[in-house]
Amino acid sequence: MSENRVIRAAAIQLAPDFEGTDGTLKKVLDALDEAAGKGAQLAVFPETFVPYYPYFSFVKPPVQSGADHLRLYERAVVVPGPVTQAVSERARRHGIVVVLGVNERDHGSLYNTQLVFDGDGRLVQRRRKITPTFHERMIWGQGDGSGLQVVQTQAGRVGALACWEHYNPLARYALMTQHEQIHCSQFPGSMVGPIFADQIEVTIRHHALESGCFVVNSTGWLTDAQIESITSDPALQRALRGGCNTAIVSPEGNHLVPPLLEGEGMVVADLDLALITKRKRMMDSVGHYARPELLSLAIDRRAARPAFPMHGDTVPDVTFLPEVNHGNAGNSAAGEPAIDDGIAVVRPAAA
């Protein structure tokens, strides 16, 4: 992948449709049309945007959340399925790379999942948030190390994490060792208040500086009517306002355009990949600035499975999706070496 390229990226801030998956999906497709009309080659949507982030779980106790949780099950996204097919077709039509957050349903469990579609429409990454945060643990299951992968796309080498996964420095480092060029981060937005937006600001700018990559960050937005539909308590409604910071940051830690802090819309900026080398010339955290003989990272990239074969028996693999590029397949197909090859700082755990 040439470093003398300029990629136009769009970070999209939208309100979901609480009435159902189809309404939110339509907003995704319409936003892709708009972003493509602006010349975007990469579009990033908020965390679990389809059908919506489970805001109810933040302000309601578990004993009162059963109906909302079941409704989320009914509207969640099956991968692959109608939602992924629609987004795939729109990505292919526009030749645009799409990073979309969904509530994924896998039989009896829900997951906070990030989907990456390449510009030819292929679903090249499906990763699940490794540790849901606080109230989210009542809603989603845990992801595993198989999703800590950077994938080669038409826009460059893309990595993704959701929300407070960015507070796990080893998860970020796992992507840094794979030389991500564009990091796509997603947050729910419309939560906690201005302090959440401030925390996002610190988080994405720090990762851009430390990784030496671009960060394209998207947060969600709730209207007053939506907030009132979640809770009638004015005190709890305050917990569902603010916290939006949709932004695009350069490897030097600078905003390329002013961030979007409220309302629906998108921010669009050109990413000059040459700035990555400019930054890493001074500080390459996984290269000349690393000390792998002193500090290194062990990663278990095996997919977590509830059953596995022993003594020659075979168990059908129900977790692997052939149409989803797990691991290194996309990188090898693009002429890149396997992710583990030649990366001294990624080492297997000691016996």
Side-chain angles (χ1 to χ4, degrees):
M1 178 63 62
S2 171
E3 294 183 349
N4 297 317
R5 300 177 65 218
V6 175
I7 301 297
R8 180 162 293 182
I12 298 167
Q13 182 166 293
L14 290 174
D17 186 342
F18 282 169
E19 298 304 313
T21 305
D22 290 345
T24 303
L25 176 59
K26 184 179 185 304
K27 298 191 77 166
V28 169
L29 300 179
D30 289 346
L32 287 176
D33 292 341
E34 181 182 350
K38 297 177 183 292
Q41 299 156 278
L42 167 71
V44 180
F45 290 88
E47 181 179 7
T48 60
F49 183 63
V50 183
Y52 42 76
Y53 179 85
Y55 293 99
F56 64 85
S57 64
F58 187 57
V59 296
K60 290 184 179 181
V63 71
Q64 296 178 0
S65 297
D68 292 309
H69 199 183
L70 286 173
R71 192 175 299 113
L72 190 61
Y73 266 86
E74 295 168 359
R75 297 172 175 177
V77 176
V78 176
V79 182
V83 170
T84 59
Q85 181 178 351
V87 177
S88 172
E89 291 173 353
R90 198 59 55 96
R92 182 170 59 250
R93 179 189 304 178
H94 294 304
I96 188 171
V97 177
V98 180
V99 180
L100 178 66
V102 302
N103 290 270
E104 180 195 1
R105 180 171 181 173
D106 187 354
H107 299 278
S109 294
L110 298 180
Y111 296 93
N112 177 330
T113 297
Q114 295 174 296
L115 304 176
V116 181
F117 299 83
D118 207 347
D120 59 4
R122 289 182 304 122
L123 180 56
V124 294
Q125 173 70 299
R126 180 201 65 170
R127 68 166 306 270
R128 295 167 174 173
K129 188 173 185 178
I130 54 177
T131 304
T133 303
F134 190 48
H135 59 285
E136 296 173 353
R137 296 179 192 179
M138 298 295 295
I139 306 299
W140 298 314
Q142 294 183 322
D144 55 46
S146 67
L148 292 174
Q149 302 278 8
V150 171
V151 292
Q152 184 69 61
T153 72
Q154 293 180 10
R157 295 182 61 77
V158 170
L161 292 174
C163 201
W164 278 16
E165 285 187 306
H166 293 87
Y167 292 162
N168 186 326
L170 299 184
R172 293 192 303 105
Y173 197 73
L175 300 183
M176 290 162 59
T177 63
Q178 299 167 57
H179 313 293
E180 60 179 351
Q181 295 172 302
I182 304 173
H183 181 80
C184 300
S185 54
Q186 301 171 314
F187 288 77
S190 284
M191 286 179 63
V192 183
I195 190 173
F196 197 30
D198 292 343
Q199 291 171 352
I200 293 171
E201 175 82 3
V202 172
T203 299
I204 61 177
R205 295 181 72 177
H206 176 75
H207 184 71
L209 284 166
E210 192 170 74
S211 181
C213 71
F214 291 91
V215 175
V216 182
N217 182 69
S218 179
T219 58
W221 167 261
L222 292 181
T223 66
D224 287 341
Q226 287 177 317
I227 293 171
E228 292 165 5
S229 74
I230 297 170
T231 176
S232 59
D233 186 335
L236 294 179
Q237 289 175 1
R238 287 197 294 271
L240 297 176
R241 289 191 167 91
C244 295
N245 191 338
T246 293
I248 300 177
V249 178
S250 79
E252 297 172 305
N254 299 319
H255 284 279
L256 294 178
V257 290
L260 182 60
L261 303 179
E262 60 180 14
E264 293 188 303
M266 66 178 67
V267 295
V268 179
D270 290 334
L271 317 183
D272 183 354
L273 299 188
L275 290 178
I276 295 174
T277 301
K278 182 181 178 183
R279 169 63 179 167
K280 289 190 173 182
R281 181 182 71 85
M282 299 293 292
M283 199 282 295
D284 183 357
S285 292
V286 297
H288 62 78
Y289 210 76
R291 292 294 303 276
E293 76 282 10
L294 301 178
L295 302 166
S296 61
L297 172 64
I299 306 175
D300 184 352
R301 289 203 177 99
R302 292 173 296 179
R305 299 175 180 175
F308 57 92
M310 294 184 68
H311 308 302
D313 294 335
T314 60
V315 175
D317 183 353
V318 297
T319 62
F320 181 75
L321 301 175
E323 47 277 296
V324 179
N325 175 10
H326 289 269
N328 305 332
N331 300 296
S332 299
E336 294 286 334
I339 286 173
D340 282 336
D341 290 353
I343 300 177
V345 293
V346 182
R347 297 177 175 175

